[in-house]
Amino acid sequence: MKPGSSVTVRPAKHLHGALRLPGDKSISHRYAMLAAIAEGKSRFENYSTGADCASTLACLGSLGVHWERTNNGANVIEIEGRGPALAAPTSALDCGNSGSTMRMLSGILAGQEFTSDLCGDESLSRRPMARIMKPLEQMGARITAAPEERPPLHIAGGNLRAIRYKMPVASAQVKSCLLFAGLFAKGETEVEEPLRTRDHGEVALRAFGADLKRSANSTCIVGGQRLHAIEARIPGDLSSAAFFFCAASLFPGSELVIDSLLMNPTRARLLDILIGLGVRISITQLEEQNGELVGTVRVEGAQLKSTEIAGADSAALIDEIPVLAAIAPFTEEGIRIRDAGELRVKESDRIQSIVTNLRAMGARVDEHDDGLTVPGGQKLHGAEINSAGDHRIAMAFAIAALRAEGETHIRGAEAAVISFPSFFETLESLVQR
Ligand code: S3P
């Protein structure tokens, strides 16, 4: 799809199907970065098809890491690890739209004996980087950025010392960044988080052979440990599955099964929320793969009740709130979302994007600094949706469009390529009209 593309979504009656999804974005980034600094050749099946994870691979290539796609169909990637020392890049590392690439790779670059520059697209250039700069500077890295600590970043790395760091913001990207930097630091680095966020960094570090100490909200890593290559199949992306689960939930009589899906408990809160809304969900074939829980999920649609998302739930559901908000008008009594101010500093100001687009479809919605309240029992009409260049907004409103009256045009639909290039085709294959 070309920039500015518009996709038309028509109302649906049901969703039916059984499918498997491309690999999880959060895990794909981390596996690629750790494989680059491990010893030996790693091989990943079902690597994320999204542009963000391709940005990570491109940056690694510029850092002297040899990688190749050995089988396009199955998205197999092989990465030749260099051990801890990467090669100095000859130009700026382009992270595209990917906050994960910029923030987590910075942790590794802070440990390298060279200087590097990281840049990104217009959206990434607006996103806050102080959250990684401050702790990495405390560890001894020298970092400069554009005003207000925005990208591009210039990092002079090397000679890191361990720190004990209490993160002010709940962010798994920051946590992984600091644990990766901790691998290069002298001594034991401890990262404490205000709430437990997704733990793929910790799980992946262990899979690559690192020794970590974990307690409720903190993780310790001793520097100087060597990582070893792994072979893995990356489980399906649960945040991509969220769109289809919410779509199926909207239509009583729908039934959707997704197998080989990531079931990590720090990511699966959406399933509890849907159960609370009245959706029937069953999980089978649970097994652990490289420390990550994987399973098969069956979802059956229902008349949805209401719910409130606040506190730790808002952090746990940060990527799923756009689609939950988009289906909220169709619940009986609505959905209220608070403590989700982080949504304002994502690929777009997601609170604003959700409110604007819900209103365009004729919905009543109240905007708060840290969330929104969407009353239930509403009827929406098709409209022009503006994705604001944000993949999760484009996909969330394609789901709302299934229950609206008339056609909805999603402008900037190509943004879906960031995490899920085949989203619209997959959705069409599930929908019955
Ligand atoms: C991610 C963490 C979240 C999430 C992002 C991926 C990760 O961001 O929104 O899509 O892989 O660690 P924050 O850590 O900034 O909340």
Side-chain angles (χ1 to χ4, degrees), residues 25-26 30 100 103 131 170-173 198 318-319 346 392:
K25 172 162 98 66
S26 293
R30 288 165 171 87
S100 298
R103 295 197 179 117
R131 54 186 66 191
S171 162
Q173 293 177 354
R198 65 188 76 190
I318 202 73
D319 291 340
K346 292 290 179 189
R392 299 209 194 275

Side-chain angles (χ1 to χ4, degrees), residues 12-16 251-254 430-433:
K13 283 210 180 84
H14 288 288
L15 256 92
H16 277 282
F251 299 96
S254 293
L430 300 172
V431 162
Q432 296 186 349
R433 297 201 160 84

Side-chain angles (χ1 to χ4, degrees), residues 28-44 47 53 56-57 60-61 64-70 76-82 86 208 229-230 234:
S28 296
H29 282 302
R30 288 165 171 87
Y31 277 3
M33 289 183 202
L34 294 180
I37 55 168
E39 325 223 322
K41 189 197 262 184
S42 291
R43 181 173 188 277
F44 306 121
Y47 188 81
C53 293
T56 286
L57 290 173
L60 293 174
V65 178
H66 182 71
W67 61 267
E68 62 180 335
R69 279 181 207 276
T70 55
V76 177
I77 304 277
E78 288 185 352
I79 300 178
E80 196 73 63
R82 291 184 56 104
L86 299 175
F208 279 84
I230 63 165
I234 300 179

Side-chain angles (χ1 to χ4, degrees), residues 1 69 100 110 129 169 223 228 238 292 295:
M1 267 188 261
R69 279 181 207 276
S100 298
M129 292 296 147
V169 198
H228 305 289
L238 188 45
E292 291 287 2

